[in-house]
Amino acid sequence: MNPETLRGYALRAAVEDVLYDYAAALDEGALERWPFFFTAGALYEVVSRENEERGLPLALVRCEGRGMMIDRATALKEVLFYSPRTYRHFISNVRPVWRSEERIEAVSNFVLLQTLVERETTVLVAGQYRDTLVVEDGKLLFGGKRCIYDTTMIPNTVVYPL
Amino acid sequence: MTKQPMRVWPAEGASRAPYWIYDDPEVFRVEQERIFGQSWCYVGLAAEVPEPGRFQRSHVGDRSVILVRDKEGKINVLENRCAHRGMEFCRASAGKATRFLCPYHQWTFDLEGNLCGVPFKRGIHGEGGMPDDFDLADHPLRKLRVTNHNGAVFASYAEEPEPFERYLADPMRAYFDRVFDGRPLRVLGYMRQRIPCNWKLILENTKDPYHATLLHSFLVTFGLFRADQKSEVRLDPSGRHAALVSRHGGRQLTVAASEMASYKSDYTLQDRRLLDMQAEFHDGVGVVMMTLFPNLILHQQGNSLATRHIVPRGPDSTELSWTFFGYEDDDEALSTRRLRQANLFGPAGLVSLDDGEALKATQEGLRNARDACAVVEMGGRDREDANVMVTETALRAFFHHYMHVMGFVRAEDER
């Protein structure tokens, strides 16, 4: 995969495949698979649009590399207390471009719906993914992912990764 | 018409908390008046408005206010409500202004809150206009009393609030000044969440080290906050403020740890950097959790520093705004530690996530259980300082103060 062989709709389809597989893994609750959508050194950040616009560095979630992602996934699966819930990702408006011979940058929109026990389904957060994708062993992986959420007031908690 | 009988507190006093204090709209209304309408309340950091003209929206109770630095460099706190028709005129969360213009009828206020312009004050062609005796000086924005204590800004709606030195007196002041020591601060960013619970539950949660040793298995597992560590609960003489102090211990299985169902001895971190804390305070204390009545939690957990600003929105809805900060002279390594350790806190925090979930479930549990009450007897029934974590002494001190401020009497005193 390089800028010559992967272009136009094919490029978009390839990036969409990664995003949709990523969303499917999270929606199925397969947290243990989540870190392996990333390169070992990838930076995963969930950042409020407020902080982003004001140039403030704080992230809601900041995993510097796959190790920290595995730690978060394990904590969520085995250690933390939270009420059972279902998350469902909707990803659209995917716009990828090659930034170099090896690196794709892709922005897309996301909406995350949350369903709790005995409750109606509600929007938890909405925002934009700003992703970097690289080819590793013939597969596209996230070399970095910034999830910029628009939501100024989070409805209580964000449990699973965006 | 008969007056509704005043609610009566259980005869046991401060070792009980009746559930009606958490979901009765009338109690909420009276709290806005007697607590948030009177007390000093945290509104923000001076570092959020670093130069003249910079403003930041904030709240006192559920009322919107603006924190603004005026031309002289003084910080003012003004109610965000136009003196004309009541519009909440400041719509941006933060920014820079030379004056405030209400969009509705363009009444204009300076940065001290004085009315300085009213369009068509003299009418048009001699018709209309304000009465001749209308004086701009009579219609300022509501100005709150303000104290800037080493960069932490407090405001009060009271005409003559309690002297700030008495509000924040030792030993609380010493704990507060440990973090707010006068060094210039640098804001790192915000987290904001709406927790569907009463505001007091959030404050109480941080006065309760007992739960932290059990609910927060992440802290427990990694020895960040554990029942068997050297720890203290320090109270303000009035009972309203508290400081929970703990020293980090290593990870070792003790008798105490074995009593915690949440202790996971086989869980190890892949990346230890998350908990790689740098000693930065001379006293070596790993955690100081402070509650300043009625609306501030100040946390120092390792290298993570934040104010948590409590904004009550209704009996069962509270906004919590977290402002993470460091010092202007932090080097990059320390800044990175602060940003990394923020993973533990806020709405997605490996520790605070538990709190949001537990508080929501607590509010759901006590809803419409107005004849029942919480039992608060861990560590005894008194409200003295303690040198142990498994105590609810700070809760009893809080309820004692709360009853006094709200004018609630115990069942036996009523007879």
Side-chain angles (χ1 to χ4, degrees), chain B residues 167-168 172 207 234-236 238-243 291-293:
Chain B
Y167 168 76
L168 183 60
M172 290 304 119
K207 291 175 180 287
R234 292 286 168 261
L235 303 173
D236 173 75
S238 69
R240 60 190 153 172
H241 317 312
T291 45
L292 282 195
F293 184 82

Side-chain angles (χ1 to χ4, degrees), chain A residues 44-46 48 50-51 54-76 78-85 87 114 116-117 119 149 151-160, chain B residues 48 56 93-94 187-196 215 217-218 221 262 264 267-274 319-321 324 336 339-340 342-343 345-351 353-354 356-358 360-361 364 367:
Chain A
Y44 170 84
E45 286 181 298
V46 178
S48 69
E50 178 183 16
N51 288 347
R54 289 166 76 161
L56 298 169
L58 185 79
L60 190 72
V61 177
R62 173 186 165 114
C63 295
E64 301 165 46
R66 196 186 278 154
M68 284 194 196
M69 292 182 228
I70 292 171
D71 290 337
R72 180 168 277 270
T74 311
L76 288 169
E78 295 178 19
V79 182
L80 301 184
F81 161 72
Y82 50 91
S83 302
R85 67 201 58 217
Y87 279 5
Q114 171 174 268
L116 300 171
V117 175
R119 291 286 181 276
Y149 62 94
T151 319
T152 12
M153 193 62 65
I154 287 176
N156 202 11
T157 55
V158 175
V159 174
Y160 300 123
Chain B
E48 295 178 276
Q56 167 77 45
S93 103
V187 175
L188 297 175
Y190 302 94
M191 296 183 190
R192 303 187 197 278
Q193 66 187 132
R194 176 177 286 112
I195 306 180
L215 172 69
S217 32
F218 195 85
T221 301
S262 46
K264 311 281 183 199
Y267 178 29
T268 51
L269 285 183
Q270 299 267 325
D271 194 329
R272 295 286 309 171
R273 285 180 299 170
L274 179 62
E319 288 166 13
L320 194 59
S321 279
F324 289 77
T336 302
L339 295 173
R340 195 180 282 146
N343 272 303
F345 307 106
L350 294 171
V351 176
L353 173 61
D354 292 335
E357 291 287 311
K360 175 176 189 281
E364 286 169 355
R367 179 184 300 141

Side-chain angles (χ1 to χ4, degrees), chain B residues 6 20 22 29 117 171 243 253 276 283 286 303 387 410 415:
Chain B
M6 190 156 163
W20 49 258
Y22 302 106
R29 190 191 64 75
L253 188 62
D276 172 25
D283 53 17
N303 304 116
N387 290 319
R410 290 197 296 166
R415 284 193 289 271

Side-chain angles (χ1 to χ4, degrees), chain A residues 9-79:
Chain A
Y9 291 125
L11 171 61
R12 178 174 300 161
V15 170
E16 282 183 343
D17 279 351
V18 178
L19 287 166
Y20 297 166
D21 287 347
Y22 176 87
L26 289 174
D27 291 349
E28 286 162 18
L31 279 171
E32 68 286 349
R33 283 174 52 207
W34 170 62
F36 297 93
F37 285 91
F38 296 84
T39 61
L43 178 64
Y44 170 84
E45 286 181 298
V46 178
V47 180
S48 69
R49 183 168 169 160
E50 178 183 16
N51 288 347
E52 174 79 0
E53 284 183 346
R54 289 166 76 161
L56 298 169
L58 185 79
L60 190 72
V61 177
R62 173 186 165 114
C63 295
E64 301 165 46
R66 196 186 278 154
M68 284 194 196
M69 292 182 228
I70 292 171
D71 290 337
R72 180 168 277 270
T74 311
L76 288 169
K77 273 188 106 74
E78 295 178 19
V79 182

